[in-house]
Amino acid sequence: MIDPDHPFYRPLWRRVLIPAVCLVWVIFELVAGEAFWAVIVGAIGAYATYKLFIEKRDPPQQRPLDTQED
């Protein structure tokens, strides 16, 4: 669902903003007394945090240089 290698997620502020918005939304839902929705949004925020910050990414594949055989 979240591809951390996509260019959209390259800027740090975007990767921080997504879980932060989820956290604010969780607090709003808890204050409103909606624990069910707080759990759902909390799970989405935890997933986004895992994918954007914790999961190990593969280094970009580099093409081998063309070598000339003599």
Coordinates of all heavy atoms in Angstrom, one line a residue:
M1 N 0.8 -1.2 0.0 CA 0.0 0.0 0.0 C 0.9 1.3 0.0 O 0.5 2.2 -0.7 CB -0.9 0.0 1.2 CG -2.0 -1.1 1.1 SD -3.0 -1.3 2.5 CE -3.9 0.2 2.7
I2 N 1.9 1.3 0.8 CA 2.9 2.4 0.8 C 4.2 1.9 0.2 O 4.8 1.0 0.7 CB 3.1 3.0 2.2 CG1 1.8 3.6 2.7 CG2 4.2 4.0 2.2 CD1 1.9 4.1 4.1
D3 N 4.6 2.5 -0.9 CA 5.9 2.2 -1.5 C 6.9 3.3 -1.0 O 6.9 4.4 -1.6 CB 5.8 2.2 -3.0 CG 7.1 1.9 -3.7 OD1 8.1 1.4 -3.0 OD2 7.2 2.1 -4.9
P4 N 7.7 3.0 0.0 CA 8.6 4.0 0.5 C 9.7 4.5 -0.5 O 10.3 5.5 -0.3 CB 9.3 3.4 1.7 CG 9.1 1.9 1.5 CD 7.9 1.7 0.7
D5 N 9.8 3.8 -1.6 CA 10.8 4.2 -2.7 C 10.2 5.1 -3.7 O 10.9 5.6 -4.6 CB 11.4 2.9 -3.3 CG 12.2 2.1 -2.4 OD1 12.9 2.7 -1.5 OD2 12.1 0.9 -2.5
H6 N 8.9 5.4 -3.6 CA 8.2 6.3 -4.5 C 8.7 7.7 -4.3 O 9.0 8.1 -3.2 CB 6.7 6.2 -4.3 CG 6.0 6.9 -5.4 ND1 5.7 8.2 -5.4 CD2 5.4 6.4 -6.5 CE1 5.0 8.5 -6.5 NE2 4.8 7.4 -7.2
P7 N 8.9 8.5 -5.4 CA 9.5 9.8 -5.2 C 8.6 10.7 -4.3 O 9.1 11.7 -3.7 CB 9.5 10.4 -6.7 CG 9.5 9.2 -7.5 CD 8.8 8.1 -6.8
F8 N 7.3 10.4 -4.2 CA 6.4 11.3 -3.4 C 6.9 11.3 -1.9 O 6.8 12.3 -1.2 CB 5.0 10.8 -3.5 CG 4.1 11.5 -2.6 CD1 3.5 12.7 -3.0 CD2 3.7 11.1 -1.3 CE1 2.7 13.5 -2.2 CE2 2.8 11.8 -0.5 CZ 2.3 13.0 -1.0
Y9 N 7.4 10.1 -1.4 CA 7.8 10.0 0.0 C 9.3 10.4 0.2 O 9.8 10.2 1.3 CB 7.6 8.6 0.4 CG 6.2 8.2 0.4 CD1 5.8 7.2 -0.5 CD2 5.2 8.7 1.2 CE1 4.4 6.8 -0.6 CE2 3.9 8.4 1.2 CZ 3.5 7.4 0.3 OH 2.2 7.0 0.2
R10 N 10.0 10.9 -0.8 CA 11.4 11.3 -0.6 C 11.6 12.4 0.4 O 12.5 12.3 1.2 CB 12.0 11.7 -2.0 CG 13.5 11.8 -1.9 CD 14.1 11.8 -3.3 NE 13.9 10.5 -4.0 CZ 13.6 10.4 -5.3 NH1 13.5 11.5 -6.0 NH2 13.4 9.3 -5.8
P11 N 10.8 13.5 0.4 CA 11.0 14.6 1.4 C 10.7 14.1 2.8 O 9.6 13.5 3.0 CB 10.1 15.7 0.9 CG 9.7 15.4 -0.5 CD 9.8 13.9 -0.7
L12 N 11.5 14.4 3.7 CA 11.3 14.0 5.1 C 10.0 14.5 5.7 O 9.3 13.9 6.4 CB 12.5 14.4 6.0 CG 12.4 14.0 7.4 CD1 12.3 12.5 7.6 CD2 13.6 14.6 8.2
W13 N 9.7 15.8 5.3 CA 8.5 16.4 5.9 C 7.2 15.6 5.6 O 6.3 15.6 6.4 CB 8.4 17.9 5.5 CG 8.1 18.1 4.1 CD1 9.0 18.3 3.1 CD2 6.8 18.3 3.5 NE1 8.3 18.6 1.9 CE2 7.0 18.5 2.1 CE3 5.5 18.2 4.0 CZ2 5.9 18.7 1.2 CZ3 4.4 18.4 3.1 CH2 4.7 18.6 1.7
R14 N 7.2 15.0 4.4 CA 6.0 14.3 4.0 C 5.9 13.0 4.8 O 4.8 12.5 5.2 CB 6.0 13.9 2.5 CG 5.7 15.1 1.7 CD 5.6 14.7 0.2 NE 5.3 15.9 -0.6 CZ 5.6 16.0 -1.8 NH1 6.2 15.0 -2.5 NH2 5.4 17.1 -2.5
R15 N 7.1 12.3 5.0 CA 7.1 11.1 5.8 C 6.7 11.3 7.2 O 6.2 10.4 7.9 CB 8.4 10.4 5.6 CG 8.7 9.8 4.3 CD 10.0 9.2 4.1 NE 11.0 10.2 4.1 CZ 12.3 10.1 4.5 NH1 12.7 9.0 5.1 NH2 13.1 11.1 4.4
V16 N 7.1 12.5 7.8 CA 6.7 12.8 9.2 C 5.3 13.2 9.3 O 4.6 12.9 10.2 CB 7.7 13.9 9.7 CG1 7.2 14.4 11.0 CG2 9.1 13.4 9.8
L17 N 4.8 14.0 8.3 CA 3.4 14.5 8.3 C 2.4 13.4 8.3 O 1.4 13.6 9.0 CB 3.2 15.5 7.1 CG 1.9 16.2 7.1 CD1 1.8 17.2 8.3 CD2 1.7 17.0 5.8
I18 N 2.6 12.4 7.6 CA 1.5 11.3 7.5 C 1.2 10.7 8.9 O 0.1 10.7 9.3 CB 1.9 10.3 6.4 CG1 1.8 11.0 5.0 CG2 1.0 9.1 6.5 CD1 2.5 10.1 3.9
P19 N 2.2 10.1 9.6 CA 1.9 9.6 10.9 C 1.5 10.7 11.9 O 0.7 10.4 12.8 CB 3.3 9.0 11.4 CG 4.0 8.7 10.1 CD 3.6 9.8 9.2
A20 N 2.0 11.9 11.8 CA 1.6 13.0 12.7 C 0.1 13.3 12.5 O -0.6 13.5 13.5 CB 2.4 14.2 12.4
V21 N -0.4 13.3 11.3 CA -1.8 13.6 11.1 C -2.6 12.4 11.6 O -3.7 12.7 12.3 CB -2.1 13.8 9.6 CG1 -3.6 13.7 9.3 CG2 -1.5 15.1 9.1
C22 N -2.2 11.2 11.5 CA -2.9 10.1 12.1 C -2.9 10.2 13.6 O -4.0 9.9 14.2 CB -2.2 8.8 11.7 SG -2.5 8.4 9.9
L23 N -1.8 10.6 14.2 CA -1.8 10.8 15.7 C -2.8 11.8 16.1 O -3.5 11.6 17.1 CB -0.4 11.1 16.1 CG -0.2 11.4 17.6 CD1 -0.5 10.1 18.4 CD2 1.1 11.9 17.9
V24 N -2.8 13.0 15.4 CA -3.8 14.0 15.8 C -5.2 13.5 15.6 O -6.1 13.8 16.4 CB -3.6 15.3 14.9 CG1 -4.7 16.3 15.1 CG2 -2.2 15.9 15.3
W25 N -5.5 12.7 14.6 CA -6.8 12.2 14.3 C -7.2 11.2 15.4 O -8.3 11.2 15.9 CB -6.8 11.5 13.0 CG -8.2 11.1 12.4 CD1 -9.4 11.3 13.0 CD2 -8.4 10.5 11.2 NE1 -10.4 10.8 12.3 CE2 -9.8 10.3 11.1 CE3 -7.6 10.0 10.2 CZ2 -10.4 9.6 10.0 CZ3 -8.2 9.4 9.1 CH2 -9.6 9.2 9.0
V26 N -6.2 10.4 15.9 CA -6.5 9.4 17.0 C -6.9 10.2 18.2 O -7.8 9.8 18.9 CB -5.2 8.5 17.2 CG1 -5.4 7.8 18.6 CG2 -5.1 7.5 16.1
I27 N -6.2 11.3 18.6 CA -6.5 12.1 19.7 C -7.9 12.6 19.6 O -8.7 12.6 20.6 CB -5.4 13.1 20.0 CG1 -4.1 12.5 20.3 CG2 -5.9 14.1 21.0 CD1 -2.9 13.4 20.3
F28 N -8.2 13.2 18.4 CA -9.5 13.7 18.2 C -10.6 12.7 18.4 O -11.6 12.9 19.1 CB -9.6 14.3 16.8 CG -11.0 14.7 16.4 CD1 -11.6 15.9 16.8 CD2 -11.8 13.9 15.6 CE1 -12.9 16.2 16.5 CE2 -13.1 14.2 15.2 CZ -13.6 15.4 15.7
E29 N -10.4 11.5 17.9 CA -11.4 10.4 18.0 C -11.6 10.0 19.5 O -12.7 9.7 20.0 CB -11.1 9.2 17.2 CG -11.2 9.4 15.7 CD -12.6 9.7 15.2 OE1 -13.5 9.5 15.9 OE2 -12.7 10.1 14.0
L30 N -10.4 9.9 20.2 CA -10.5 9.6 21.6 C -11.3 10.6 22.4 O -12.1 10.3 23.3 CB -9.1 9.3 22.2 CG -8.4 8.1 21.7 CD1 -7.0 8.0 22.3 CD2 -9.2 6.8 22.2
V31 N -11.0 11.9 22.1 CA -11.7 13.0 22.8 C -13.2 12.9 22.5 O -14.1 13.2 23.4 CB -11.1 14.3 22.5 CG1 -12.0 15.5 23.0 CG2 -9.7 14.4 23.0
A32 N -13.5 12.5 21.3 CA -14.9 12.4 20.9 C -15.6 11.2 21.4 O -16.8 11.0 21.2 CB -15.0 12.5 19.3
G33 N -14.8 10.3 22.0 CA -15.4 9.1 22.6 C -15.6 7.9 21.6 O -16.3 7.0 21.8
E34 N -14.9 8.0 20.5 CA -15.0 7.0 19.5 C -13.7 6.1 19.5 O -12.8 6.2 18.6 CB -15.2 7.6 18.1 CG -16.5 8.4 17.9 CD -17.7 7.5 17.9 OE1 -17.6 6.3 17.6 OE2 -18.8 8.0 18.3
A35 N -13.7 5.2 20.4 CA -12.5 4.3 20.5 C -12.3 3.4 19.3 O -11.2 3.1 19.0 CB -12.6 3.5 21.8
F36 N -13.4 2.9 18.7 CA -13.3 2.1 17.6 C -12.5 2.8 16.4 O -11.5 2.2 15.9 CB -14.6 1.6 17.1 CG -14.6 0.9 15.8 CD1 -14.2 -0.5 15.8 CD2 -14.9 1.5 14.6 CE1 -14.2 -1.2 14.6 CE2 -14.9 0.7 13.4 CZ -14.5 -0.6 13.4
W37 N -12.9 4.0 16.1 CA -12.2 4.7 15.0 C -10.8 5.1 15.4 O -9.9 5.2 14.6 CB -13.0 5.9 14.6 CG -14.2 5.5 13.8 CD1 -15.5 5.6 14.3 CD2 -14.3 4.9 12.6 NE1 -16.4 5.1 13.3 CE2 -15.6 4.6 12.3 CE3 -13.3 4.5 11.7 CZ2 -16.0 4.0 11.1 CZ3 -13.7 3.9 10.5 CH2 -15.0 3.6 10.2
A38 N -10.6 5.4 16.7 CA -9.2 5.7 17.2 C -8.3 4.5 17.0 O -7.1 4.7 16.6 CB -9.3 6.1 18.6
V39 N -8.8 3.3 17.2 CA -8.0 2.1 17.0 C -7.7 1.9 15.5 O -6.5 1.6 15.1 CB -8.7 0.8 17.6 CG1 -8.0 -0.4 17.1 CG2 -8.7 0.9 19.1
I40 N -8.7 2.1 14.6 CA -8.5 2.0 13.2 C -7.4 3.0 12.7 O -6.5 2.6 12.0 CB -9.8 2.2 12.4 CG1 -10.8 1.1 12.8 CG2 -9.6 2.2 10.9 CD1 -10.5 -0.3 12.5
V41 N -7.6 4.2 13.0 CA -6.7 5.2 12.6 C -5.3 5.0 13.2 O -4.3 5.3 12.6 CB -7.2 6.6 12.9 CG1 -6.2 7.7 12.5 CG2 -8.5 6.9 12.1
G42 N -5.2 4.6 14.4 CA -4.0 4.3 15.1 C -3.2 3.2 14.4 O -2.0 3.2 14.2
A43 N -4.0 2.2 13.9 CA -3.3 1.1 13.1 C -2.8 1.6 11.8 O -1.7 1.2 11.4 CB -4.4 0.0 12.9
I44 N -3.5 2.5 11.2 CA -3.1 3.1 9.9 C -1.8 3.9 10.1 O -0.8 3.8 9.4 CB -4.2 3.9 9.3 CG1 -5.3 3.1 8.8 CG2 -3.6 4.8 8.1 CD1 -6.6 3.8 8.4
G45 N -1.8 4.7 11.2 CA -0.6 5.4 11.6 C 0.6 4.6 11.9 O 1.7 4.9 11.5
A46 N 0.4 3.5 12.6 CA 1.4 2.6 13.0 C 2.0 1.9 11.7 O 3.2 1.8 11.5 CB 1.0 1.5 13.9
Y47 N 1.1 1.5 10.8 CA 1.6 0.9 9.5 C 2.4 1.9 8.7 O 3.4 1.6 8.2 CB 0.3 0.4 8.7 CG 0.7 -0.1 7.4 CD1 1.3 -1.4 7.2 CD2 0.5 0.6 6.2 CE1 1.6 -1.9 6.0 CE2 0.8 0.2 5.0 CZ 1.3 -1.1 4.9 OH 1.7 -1.6 3.6
A48 N 1.9 3.2 8.6 CA 2.6 4.2 7.9 C 4.0 4.4 8.5 O 5.0 4.6 7.8 CB 1.8 5.5 7.8
T49 N 4.1 4.5 9.8 CA 5.3 4.7 10.5 C 6.3 3.6 10.2 O 7.5 3.8 9.9 CB 5.1 4.8 12.0 OG1 4.2 5.9 12.3 CG2 6.4 5.1 12.7
Y50 N 5.8 2.3 10.3 CA 6.6 1.2 10.0 C 7.2 1.2 8.6 O 8.3 1.0 8.3 CB 5.8 -0.1 10.2 CG 6.6 -1.3 9.8 CD1 7.6 -1.9 10.6 CD2 6.3 -2.0 8.6 CE1 8.3 -3.0 10.1 CE2 6.9 -3.1 8.2 CZ 8.0 -3.6 9.0 OH 8.7 -4.7 8.5
K51 N 6.3 1.5 7.6 CA 6.7 1.4 6.2 C 7.6 2.6 5.8 O 8.6 2.4 5.1 CB 5.5 1.5 5.3 CG 4.6 0.3 5.2 CD 5.3 -0.9 4.7 CE 5.4 -0.9 3.2 NZ 5.9 -2.0 2.5
L52 N 7.4 3.8 6.4 CA 8.2 4.9 6.0 C 9.5 5.1 6.8 O 10.4 5.8 6.4 CB 7.3 6.2 6.2 CG 6.1 6.3 5.2 CD1 5.3 7.5 5.6 CD2 6.6 6.3 3.8
F53 N 9.6 4.5 8.0 CA 10.8 4.7 8.8 C 11.5 3.5 9.3 O 12.7 3.5 9.5 CB 10.4 5.6 10.1 CG 10.0 6.9 9.8 CD1 8.7 7.3 9.8 CD2 10.9 7.9 9.4 CE1 8.3 8.6 9.5 CE2 10.5 9.2 9.1 CZ 9.2 9.5 9.1
I54 N 10.8 2.4 9.5 CA 11.4 1.2 10.2 C 11.8 0.1 9.2 O 12.9 -0.4 9.3 CB 10.5 0.6 11.2 CG1 10.2 1.7 12.3 CG2 11.0 -0.6 11.8 CD1 9.1 1.4 13.3
E55 N 10.9 -0.1 8.2 CA 11.2 -1.2 7.2 C 12.5 -1.0 6.5 O 12.7 0.1 6.0 CB 10.0 -1.3 6.3 CG 10.2 -2.5 5.3 CD 9.0 -2.6 4.4 OE1 8.8 -1.7 3.6 OE2 8.3 -3.6 4.5
K56 N 13.3 -2.0 6.4 CA 14.5 -1.9 5.7 C 14.3 -1.9 4.2 O 13.6 -2.7 3.6 CB 15.4 -3.1 6.0 CG 16.8 -3.0 5.6 CD 17.7 -4.0 6.3 CE 19.0 -3.6 6.5 NZ 19.5 -2.9 7.5
R57 N 14.9 -0.9 3.5 CA 14.7 -0.8 2.1 C 15.9 -1.4 1.3 O 17.0 -1.3 1.8 CB 14.6 0.7 1.7 CG 13.4 1.4 2.3 CD 13.4 2.8 1.8 NE 12.5 3.6 2.7 CZ 12.6 4.9 2.8 NH1 13.4 5.6 2.2 NH2 11.8 5.5 3.7
D58 N 15.6 -1.9 0.2 CA 16.7 -2.4 -0.6 C 17.4 -1.3 -1.3 O 16.7 -0.3 -1.8 CB 16.1 -3.4 -1.7 CG 15.5 -4.6 -1.1 OD1 16.0 -5.0 0.0 OD2 14.6 -5.2 -1.7
P59 N 18.7 -1.3 -1.4 CA 19.4 -0.3 -2.1 C 19.0 -0.3 -3.6 O 18.6 -1.3 -4.1 CB 20.9 -0.6 -1.9 CG 20.9 -2.0 -1.6 CD 19.6 -2.3 -0.9
P60 N 19.0 0.9 -4.2 CA 18.6 0.9 -5.7 C 19.6 0.0 -6.5 O 20.8 -0.1 -6.3 CB 18.8 2.3 -6.1 CG 19.4 3.1 -4.9 CD 19.4 2.2 -3.7
Q61 N 19.0 -0.7 -7.4 CA 19.7 -1.6 -8.3 C 20.6 -0.7 -9.2 O 20.1 0.2 -9.9 CB 18.8 -2.5 -9.1 CG 18.0 -3.4 -8.2 CD 18.8 -4.5 -7.7 OE1 19.8 -4.9 -8.2 NE2 18.4 -5.0 -6.5
Q62 N 21.8 -1.1 -9.3 CA 22.7 -0.4 -10.3 C 23.0 -1.4 -11.4 O 23.3 -2.5 -11.2 CB 24.0 0.0 -9.6 CG 23.8 1.0 -8.5 CD 25.1 1.5 -8.0 OE1 26.2 1.0 -8.4 NE2 25.1 2.4 -7.0
R63 N 23.0 -0.8 -12.6 CA 23.3 -1.6 -13.8 C 24.8 -1.8 -13.9 O 25.5 -0.8 -13.6 CB 22.8 -0.9 -15.0 CG 21.3 -0.9 -15.1 CD 20.7 -0.1 -16.3 NE 21.6 -0.3 -17.5 CZ 21.5 0.4 -18.6 NH1 20.6 1.4 -18.6 NH2 22.2 0.2 -19.6
P64 N 25.2 -3.0 -14.2 CA 26.7 -3.1 -14.4 C 27.2 -2.3 -15.6 O 26.5 -2.1 -16.5 CB 26.8 -4.6 -14.6 CG 25.5 -5.1 -15.1 CD 24.5 -4.2 -14.5
L65 N 28.4 -1.9 -15.4 CA 29.0 -1.1 -16.5 C 29.3 -2.0 -17.6 O 29.7 -3.2 -17.5 CB 30.3 -0.4 -16.0 CG 30.1 0.6 -14.9 CD1 31.5 1.0 -14.4 CD2 29.3 1.8 -15.3
D66 N 29.1 -1.5 -18.8 CA 29.5 -2.3 -20.0 C 31.0 -2.4 -20.1 O 31.7 -1.4 -20.0 CB 29.0 -1.6 -21.3 CG 27.5 -1.6 -21.4 OD1 26.9 -2.5 -20.8 OD2 26.9 -0.7 -22.0
T67 N 31.5 -3.6 -20.1 CA 32.9 -3.8 -20.2 C 33.3 -4.3 -21.6 O 32.5 -5.1 -22.2 CB 33.4 -4.8 -19.1 OG1 32.7 -6.0 -19.3 CG2 33.1 -4.3 -17.7
Q68 N 34.4 -3.9 -22.0 CA 34.8 -4.3 -23.3 C 35.8 -5.5 -23.1 O 36.7 -5.4 -22.3 CB 35.5 -3.2 -24.1 CG 34.6 -2.1 -24.5 CD 35.4 -1.0 -25.2 OE1 36.6 -1.0 -25.2 NE2 34.6 0.0 -25.7
E69 N 35.5 -6.5 -23.8 CA 36.5 -7.7 -23.8 C 37.5 -7.6 -24.8 O 37.2 -7.4 -26.0 CB 35.7 -9.0 -23.9 CG 34.7 -9.2 -22.7 CD 34.0 -10.5 -22.9 OE1 34.5 -11.4 -23.6 OE2 32.9 -10.7 -22.3
D70 N 38.8 -7.6 -24.5 CA 39.8 -7.5 -25.4 C 40.4 -8.9 -25.8 O 40.4 -9.8 -25.2 CB 41.0 -6.7 -24.9 CG 40.6 -5.2 -24.8 OD1 39.8 -4.8 -25.6 OD2 41.0 -4.6 -23.9

